[in-house]
Amino acid sequence: MDRSVLRAMAKWPNVPAVYNWLALDRRGRWRLQGEVITHPGAVRFIGRNYHADDRGNWFFQNGPQRVFVTLEYTPWVLFVAADGTLSSHVEGEIHQVSEAILDNEGALILVTELGPGLVCDRDLALLSDCLRGPQGGLATEHELSGLFAESNETTVRFFWRGTPMEVRPLRRVDIPAMFGFNPDPVRDAVSAESGRAGQCDGSGG
């Protein structure tokens, strides 16, 4: 986190948080009330001050003000360079991949040292050589979709820097709870306010 941000937080500790203002889309773009932020300096500033609280809500610390981020999918989006190098949407290089997940919509999520990251759909083709079917050849569409069959006996492996790992099939709806992040901090805030109101007026049971 930037030093200027830390100083502002110390000077003004009780600034109300902002919700439903900033979002991260599936291609790693910051969106301000729906519009893509394109200014390089603003993009880097948000990325340097992007963190999560202990409830799994992700936010951008804008000086003394916490701006919660609505996630279109995972809290990290991954890009693939021509040489196979991975980087995150905040421009940091990825050094570790511990798990590969395919969701029921065909999206690939890699669990890295940062956490779960959706591979940008534009870059999926660059990782096609890393997905291998049961016989060791490139995984086919049939083998990938077979991971979600009721009697699944298909094994697909993802090779990262020569190390194979079995691809785990997961439904998209289950992924936030599986990895402890909240894609909709607005809903979380409304629930918290409702709970406090119930306690105050005696309607909480």
Side-chain angles (χ1 to χ4, degrees):
M1 194 173 290
D2 287 4
R3 290 183 179 179
S4 60
V5 170
L6 293 172
R7 289 195 297 268
M9 291 170 63
K11 188 174 182 179
W12 297 290
N14 298 311
V15 177
V18 174
Y19 296 86
N20 205 27
W21 183 74
L22 186 66
L24 177 69
D25 72 17
R26 292 174 63 101
R27 290 182 170 171
R29 299 172 296 197
W30 301 111
R31 289 182 175 269
L32 178 62
Q33 295 185 324
E35 297 296 322
V36 177
I37 298 174
T38 58
H39 189 282
V43 170
R44 288 193 295 269
F45 180 63
I46 295 171
R48 289 196 307 271
N49 297 285
Y50 178 57
H51 300 277
D53 66 17
D54 56 7
R55 294 177 298 170
N57 298 313
W58 286 82
F59 62 89
F60 155 51
Q61 191 69 42
N62 184 25
Q65 189 168 57
R66 183 164 291 189
V67 180
F68 284 95
V69 178
T70 301
L71 304 173
E72 191 172 352
Y73 201 161
T74 55
W76 300 99
V77 178
L78 306 178
F79 303 106
V80 187
D83 64 357
T85 302
L86 293 174
S87 61
S88 75
H89 70 280
V90 299
E91 301 181 353
E93 184 177 347
I94 298 300
H95 300 285
Q96 300 173 15
V97 175
S98 58
E99 187 174 10
I101 294 165
L102 188 74
D103 79 3
N104 57 311
E105 299 175 358
L108 180 65
I109 296 93
L110 301 179
V111 182
T112 75
E113 66 265 31
L114 298 176
L118 173 71
V119 177
C120 180
D121 60 340
R122 292 174 172 171
D123 294 352
L124 275 174
L126 295 172
L127 290 180
S128 60
D129 287 350
C130 299
L131 290 166
R132 299 282 171 166
Q135 306 304 317
L138 297 183
T140 65
E141 290 292 332
H142 177 73
E143 289 167 342
L144 293 173
S145 61
L147 292 174
F148 292 90
E150 289 187 12
S151 56
N152 173 34
E153 296 181 358
T154 302
T155 299
V156 174
R157 290 182 173 84
F158 179 78
F159 284 76
W160 169 249
R161 295 180 176 173
T163 300
M165 58 193 75
E166 191 168 326
V167 175
R168 178 161 57 141
L170 283 177
R171 296 186 306 160
R172 175 180 173 176
V173 69
D174 295 330
I175 288 176
M178 178 73 66
F179 292 100
F181 66 87
N182 179 19
D184 188 5
V186 177
R187 182 178 56 195
D188 188 63
V190 170
S191 298
E193 288 298 327
S194 299
R196 284 194 287 270
Q199 292 171 1
C200 292
D201 64 16
S203 62

